[in-house]
Amino acid sequence: MKRDPQRPECRPEPPLPPFLLPSSTSSSAPGEAEGAEPQLTPPVWIFGYGSLVWRPGFEFTSRKVGFIRGYSRRFWQGDTFHRGSERMPGRVVTLLEDGGACTWGVAYEVRGEQIAASLQYLNMREAVLGGYDTKLVKFHPQEKDAEEPILALVYIATPQNPSYLGPASEEDIAAQIIVSSGCAGHNIEYLLRLADFMRYFCPQAEDKHLFSIEEALISILPCLYCTEEPLEETASDPQKSKS
């Protein structure tokens, strides 16, 4: 399976989250003991709500579409590597705590050797290059026969990270996305692929923030390609068509 652009050799490998280290993979469940940190046991599930929904970049055993409760998706994180640059940072999504909301995405199951490989890759892609921290959440599969929620790892960019941009109007976010691109591609692709995922895989779900930005972007794009001559005039003159 193809991965994102190769990781820079000059960047140090970040440590794995404590609840994923071999010494702490116990069967303790969240809330089982006061003050105890939630821990994972193999297999590990990784929840993605941004580019991970269409390009995980690591090998996995299975995947499920579903949602997590208590968070809203927002284009509030800056990106100077994958979808932007130092000169023109892009806008990518993070999660905002919101008790009455839910965020849809994809959870990936990793087993055996896939666990260490996927976590090392994601720690570089999301933590070192993206500024995201890890957290454990309860993932609810879309499947009707799903019984209990699944404990999953998620990457969240908090306001404390240096790339955090915070809120802006949908029009301003769209305008920033239009002019930004990075090592993984144009920021427009990021927005449209995420909107397509929600539209085709989660048609019953609402994401006003996402679709409002998509709508603003589509309304702005024609203005960038306006020409002084009407298309009919250009098409009727072969010399102008060649220029």
Side-chain angles (χ1 to χ4, degrees), residues 152-180:
L153 175 70
V154 66
Y155 288 82
I156 300 176
T158 66
Q160 286 70 43
N161 85 85
S163 296
Y164 191 80
L165 297 178
S169 69
E170 282 80 6
E171 292 76 16
D172 286 345
I173 292 176
Q176 185 172 351
I177 287 174
I178 285 176
V179 297
S180 302

Side-chain angles (χ1 to χ4, degrees), residues 45 47 62-66 105-109 139 141-143 150:
W45 288 84
F47 177 69
S62 66
R63 55 173 279 168
K64 295 177 182 288
V65 175
V106 177
Y108 297 92
E109 177 191 20
F139 170 75
Q142 187 181 45
E143 304 162 350
I150 301 170

